[in-house]
Amino acid sequence: MFENLKKKFSSFIGSISKKEEEKAEEQAIVEAKEEIKEIESQPQMQQQAPVQEEKAHEPVREPATQTIAPKEEHRVLPKPQLAEGLMPEAKQAELKAGQKQETPRQAQPPPKVTMGTRLKGIFMREVKISESDVDPFLEQLKTSLLESDVNYNASEKILGEIRKELISKPIGSRDIGGEITGIIRSSILSTLSKGVSKNLLERANEKRQSGELPFRILFTGPNGAGKTTTIAKVANMLMKNGFSCVISASDTFRAAAIEQTVHHANRLGVEVVKGKYGADPASIAFDAVAHAKAAGINVVLIDSAGRQETNKSLMEEMKKMVRVARPDMKIFIGESITGNALLEQVSQFNEAIGLDGVILTKLDADAKGGNTLSILSGASVPILYFGVGEKYEDLVPYDPNFIINNIVPN
């Protein structure tokens, strides 16, 4: 599921990561060469230092003067011996120290820094993604999202969040791909988290605690979306959580709809209130609510005929069912493979009766998955559950992490 979206985001992350890595590598090479060039120039400066040091410690020689040899009777001892014999010991030590030449300290060569070391140091820094870098990739991603059935407005909203996050914060250059993945996950999660709402079980528990049973749920949506099968899945879930149920077979329009409802009810051990084909669906729903009150049944699950949002007469019939049965929840059942039309359907049904949630079916066969993002971003109706198979247990509660882990794996 969501395989198409997963490929699109993976391609986007790979492309922009490669671009930033190449840019960081180029900058690293430039900086490394500059630092190495600077270090290589240091030995020449240090080799000149000893020459100056030697000159500084060279003993001062007195200028040569012409001397006259003394007569034999006036000969004196050589000057050094005279100095050693007549000078104080401290003065002799000072003279010897002055005559001793110091050995200049040999300059140590600077440590060699390899290009690999320089590059490693550079890559431990941070990279700032510029608008000029990210915008071309975002345009490509927008096209990919539209091809994946993401609504145009939803695409703009999601990509706006991603763009803002990418260019607003520096990322570690050691793992550019991982950093970008984290930013994209965070951006999409901010949209997905807006669809979080109290699920059906939570509302049913609140109703039971208030003592105002039965809890009434009306299921509506277009033909072929798996409405009757989804009602059976919901009944199975409720019974496993301690609720008793009755199903109102109020789809009196579609052939074999009542028989299909009875088949599922018998397999689950659930009661069914039904009438004849062509009967008023609102009256059957009313009878089901009355039966639940009399029998102490917790929940009434009301089926309805499939209809398109453009069918005015059937939409009016649905409004009548709402007035008569007074459901606590009105849930739209739609196929996840419908495409962009799904958002329009949800919007029209919500305008007509005020929806409390959406259950998307056939997510296991979802080739694109973009309409999920469209509903969460473009409609004010939360997604409650996903149908992911034909078994009664194949009903997954809505979880933003479930979607993001399938679209942009961490």
Side-chain angles (χ1 to χ4, degrees), residues 175-214:
D175 184 17
I176 293 177
E179 294 274 357
I180 292 175
T181 298
I183 291 174
I184 292 176
R185 282 175 59 90
S186 176
S187 301
I188 298 178
L189 270 175
S190 66
T191 298
L192 298 179
S193 298
K194 296 175 183 177
V196 176
S197 175
K198 289 182 180 179
N199 63 30
L200 189 150
L201 284 174
E202 291 173 327
R203 295 195 182 193
N205 274 316
E206 289 177 358
K207 189 80 172 181
R208 180 163 58 182
Q209 291 172 2
S210 68
E212 299 177 359
L213 295 174

Side-chain angles (χ1 to χ4, degrees), residues 77 146 212 236 289 301-302 313 320 335 345 367 403 405 408:
L77 293 173
L146 294 175
E212 299 177 359
N236 178 67
V289 172
L301 306 173
I302 307 170
S313 60
K320 179 183 177 182
E335 290 181 308
Q345 290 174 355
I403 299 177
N405 289 335
V408 187

Side-chain angles (χ1 to χ4, degrees), residues 20-275:
E20 294 303 317
E21 287 170 0
E22 290 176 350
K23 187 174 71 172
E25 184 177 355
E26 291 175 0
Q27 180 64 26
I29 292 173
V30 171
E31 294 185 16
K33 286 182 176 179
E34 291 178 353
E35 292 189 25
I36 292 173
K37 183 178 180 181
E38 180 181 350
I39 290 174
E40 289 176 345
S41 65
Q42 291 178 4
Q44 297 177 0
M45 298 174 58
Q46 294 184 5
Q47 289 172 1
Q48 295 174 0
V51 177
Q52 297 175 356
E53 189 174 355
E54 289 178 5
K55 291 182 178 179
H57 292 281
E58 187 176 339
V60 179
R61 297 178 180 177
E62 297 180 359
T65 56
Q66 185 177 3
T67 57
I68 302 174
K71 294 181 179 180
E72 186 68 24
E73 59 271 25
H74 295 290
R75 178 174 294 179
V76 295
L77 293 173
K79 188 175 181 181
Q81 295 177 9
L82 179 64
E84 291 180 3
L86 300 178
M87 286 186 180
E89 293 182 1
K91 190 66 177 178
Q92 295 178 27
E94 182 179 350
L95 179 60
K96 290 180 180 180
Q99 292 175 346
K100 183 179 181 181
Q101 294 185 358
E102 295 184 1
T103 304
R105 178 180 294 180
Q106 187 175 1
Q108 296 294 328
K112 294 183 179 180
V113 183
T114 65
M115 181 69 72
T117 302
R118 289 298 174 193
L119 289 176
K120 183 178 178 181
I122 296 296
F123 274 110
M124 293 181 68
R125 303 174 186 176
E126 292 181 326
V127 174
K128 189 69 178 291
I129 300 180
S130 65
E131 296 182 22
S132 59
D133 286 339
V134 76
D135 284 345
F137 293 108
L138 287 176
E139 282 298 318
Q140 296 175 17
L141 182 58
K142 181 196 292 185
T143 302
S144 298
L145 293 181
L146 294 175
E147 292 173 349
S148 301
D149 291 337
V150 180
N151 176 269
Y152 181 84
N153 292 331
S155 299
E156 286 284 317
K157 185 176 181 180
I158 293 170
L159 294 180
E161 286 288 331
I162 293 175
R163 182 180 185 276
K164 181 177 68 175
E165 290 297 318
L166 283 177
I167 65 177
S168 65
K169 57 181 66 173
I171 61 176
S173 58
R174 293 186 67 184
D175 184 17
I176 293 177
E179 294 274 357
I180 292 175
T181 298
I183 291 174
I184 292 176
R185 282 175 59 90
S186 176
S187 301
I188 298 178
L189 270 175
S190 66
T191 298
L192 298 179
S193 298
K194 296 175 183 177
V196 176
S197 175
K198 289 182 180 179
N199 63 30
L200 189 150
L201 284 174
E202 291 173 327
R203 295 195 182 193
N205 274 316
E206 289 177 358
K207 189 80 172 181
R208 180 163 58 182
Q209 291 172 2
S210 68
E212 299 177 359
L213 295 174
F215 185 63
R216 314 164 196 189
I217 308 172
L218 172 65
F219 296 87
T220 187
N223 278 318
K227 190 161 60 279
T228 306
T229 303
T230 301
I231 291 173
K233 291 179 179 181
V234 172
N236 178 67
M237 177 185 66
L238 286 166
M239 289 189 298
K240 286 188 174 182
N241 285 273
F243 292 91
S244 55
C245 302
V246 61
I247 299 177
S248 172
S250 296
D251 184 357
T252 59
F253 183 78
R254 180 173 63 88
I258 297 175
E259 287 79 5
Q260 184 183 9
T261 301
V262 172
H263 171 73
H264 285 300
N266 289 338
R267 292 183 63 185
L268 293 169
V270 177
E271 292 187 61
V272 178
V273 174
K274 60 181 180 178

Side-chain angles (χ1 to χ4, degrees), residues 299-317:
V299 182
V300 180
L301 306 173
I302 307 170
D303 196 1
S304 65
R307 67 205 73 206
Q308 295 295 328
E309 71 279 7
T310 55
N311 193 321
K312 300 300 181 183
S313 60
L314 286 178
M315 293 295 282
E316 290 299 323
E317 180 185 82

